[in-house]
Amino acid sequence: MMHAQTAPAYSSTRQAAVPPAARSSAGAHHPARPFSSATGIAHRPPRQRRSTQRLCVRASAAEGTSSSLAAPIPTRLNTIPHERSTRQYFYRDAVSGVLSAVAAGETRMVARCTIPELNTEFDVYRIGTLLEMVRELATALAADGRTVKVCVQQALGQGVFQGMPLSLNGVMRIMNQMDWGEVKDRIQLGNLGAAEVDSADAFVLISPQNIVGHSVLPLLGEMAEAAGAAGKPMILINPKLGDIQSAGGVMSVRGRQDRLDFTSTFVTAYHFRLLYKGVMMHPIMGALRHTYGGPWEVFRRVELGPGKEEYQLIASFESEPKSPQITDAFRAAWAKAASC
């Protein structure tokens, strides 16, 4: 069973808390508890909210639900370590979304996948899984004849104030020892900055992130400008570009809008994250998925019996849904399930 940190699973900017209205689903490792009207939504009718987005709610897969999935989402995602087939599923899914965005001419892209082994907030985070996904993406880009540079940020700051994120420490050394397959001659390794752009045709940046006292955005900004001017695609893998409170006016209120405007210039080529109940990392209630050119899809995890489960599509949105919209989608699905 996976043990997670007690940090909130959903921040106000990226996560969506599922309300305590449903008690019908236990976690992947616990037997399902029977649904009771005392803990359901019978006594708490869902509050109607106005939404500016189109919302399509479906009760179950048996009612003709369709999605952009090429294959069903793997189950038992709280089982650590993940099965190799589970990892390969998300590698292929992410690579497919990124390649679609590159083919469409995008030059600034974000691919985000935060299953437990790729979530730095979990104590089961595995850098090997992240680097395997990066290798799949880099080799797929290089297969078309491109020279691909895989970049990891350098230490920020100077002297005793120099540092880098713990999750990236030692990554360059590991990459130097990796097997890049038949396209190894077209794979380069580098850091962040405009000086890295001239020698490659595409760039994969591994989890760029700010640290206390220093922002990575200046390096990222100059590299994005140089790559965009040359028409070269740049893909950020699981970036963490939110402000970190620091002294000396670094990442303060001043300039915050400019930082937000810059990060918004990156289009989402792929997104997959699990949805949990409240602030706990257990149980898994569902998932939010998006691949370039398709809708944002909300899936509900449904237990079919002992050790059996599946993810059913319950809602789709034209753009990334906010927390209240995801919550309303779950409430609607629970209400339909209760009425059957």
Side-chain angles (χ1 to χ4, degrees):
M1 175 175 176
M2 182 196 70
H3 298 285
Q5 297 176 0
T6 58
Y10 293 107
S11 65
S12 59
T13 57
R14 301 299 306 173
Q15 307 290 354
V18 178
R23 304 293 183 184
S24 60
S25 296
H29 306 299
H30 296 275
R33 287 172 289 184
F35 182 85
S36 170
S37 61
T39 58
I41 58 175
H43 300 297
R44 295 183 181 180
R47 183 176 59 185
Q48 299 296 323
R49 293 185 177 91
R50 292 182 179 179
S51 173
T52 59
Q53 302 185 31
R54 176 180 59 83
L55 170 63
C56 303
V57 178
R58 304 166 175 87
S60 69
E63 297 182 16
T65 299
S66 61
S67 74
S68 60
L69 287 174
I73 296 174
T75 57
R76 300 186 63 80
L77 291 176
N78 264 351
T79 301
I80 303 297
H82 294 324
E83 294 183 2
R84 182 166 181 79
S85 60
T86 297
R87 296 171 184 156
Q88 291 292 335
Y89 174 92
F90 290 107
Y91 299 162
R92 290 191 299 268
D93 208 24
V95 170
S96 175
V98 172
L99 292 182
S100 296
V102 171
E106 301 288 354
T107 56
R108 297 186 182 186
M109 291 155 278
V110 172
R112 190 182 305 277
C113 181
T114 54
I115 58 176
E117 284 191 354
L118 293 176
N119 193 334
T120 55
E121 295 183 10
F122 283 32
D123 58 4
V124 296
Y125 170 72
R126 181 176 180 266
I127 187 60
T129 303
L130 178 61
L131 292 181
E132 284 178 352
M133 185 169 72
V134 168
R135 179 170 56 189
E136 292 291 326
L137 175 57
T139 54
L141 291 169
D144 291 336
R146 300 183 183 90
T147 298
V148 180
K149 180 172 285 190
V150 181
C151 303
V152 61
Q153 71 187 63
Q154 57 270 48
L156 303 177
Q158 297 180 350
V160 297
F161 299 105
Q162 189 178 64
M164 70 185 308
L166 181 62
S167 61
L168 297 178
N169 190 31
V171 169
M172 182 64 75
R173 183 178 70 253
I174 298 173
M175 290 196 299
N176 278 315
Q177 300 173 356
M178 287 174 60
D179 179 8
W180 296 94
E182 297 179 355
V183 296
K184 61 181 179 181
D185 294 335
R186 294 196 293 274
I187 301 294
Q188 301 178 2
L189 305 180
N191 297 126
L192 304 188
E196 304 283 346
V197 172
D198 293 337
S199 60
D201 304 315
F203 307 90
V204 178
L205 279 59
I206 301 176
S207 193
Q209 52 194 283
N210 299 316
I211 63 173
V212 175
H214 300 283
S215 174
V216 74
L217 293 184
L219 287 172
L220 196 59
E222 66 180 45
M223 189 173 184
E225 288 293 334
K232 299 177 179 179
M234 187 170 78
I235 305 103
L236 312 185
I237 306 296
N238 285 359
K240 298 175 67 176
L241 302 179
D243 289 344
I244 298 179
Q245 294 249 336
S246 305
V250 179
M251 291 177 283
S252 62
V253 175
R254 178 181 297 177
R256 178 171 296 168
Q257 189 59 50
D258 292 337
R259 296 192 293 273
L260 294 174
D261 291 342
F262 169 71
T263 57
S264 67
T265 62
F266 289 83
V267 301
T268 301
Y270 180 74
H271 183 103
F272 184 92
R273 78 172 188 263
L274 296 173
L275 304 175
Y276 301 93
K277 186 190 304 182
V279 299
M280 303 300 293
M281 306 297 188
H282 178 85
I284 296 174
M285 302 303 295
L288 176 65
R289 177 186 176 273
H290 168 73
T291 188
Y292 184 82
W296 289 77
E297 299 172 322
V298 179
F299 293 86
R300 174 190 174 206
R301 187 181 71 85
V302 178
E303 293 190 352
L304 304 177
K308 296 182 179 180
E309 62 184 38
E310 70 175 10
Y311 286 84
Q312 296 178 357
L313 178 65
I314 60 172
S316 61
F317 299 84
E318 294 177 351
S319 58
E320 183 174 4
K322 305 297 183 183
S323 298
Q325 293 168 312
I326 296 176
T327 300
D328 287 346
F330 272 89
R331 282 177 169 162
W334 290 329
K336 286 193 174 184
S339 65
C340 294

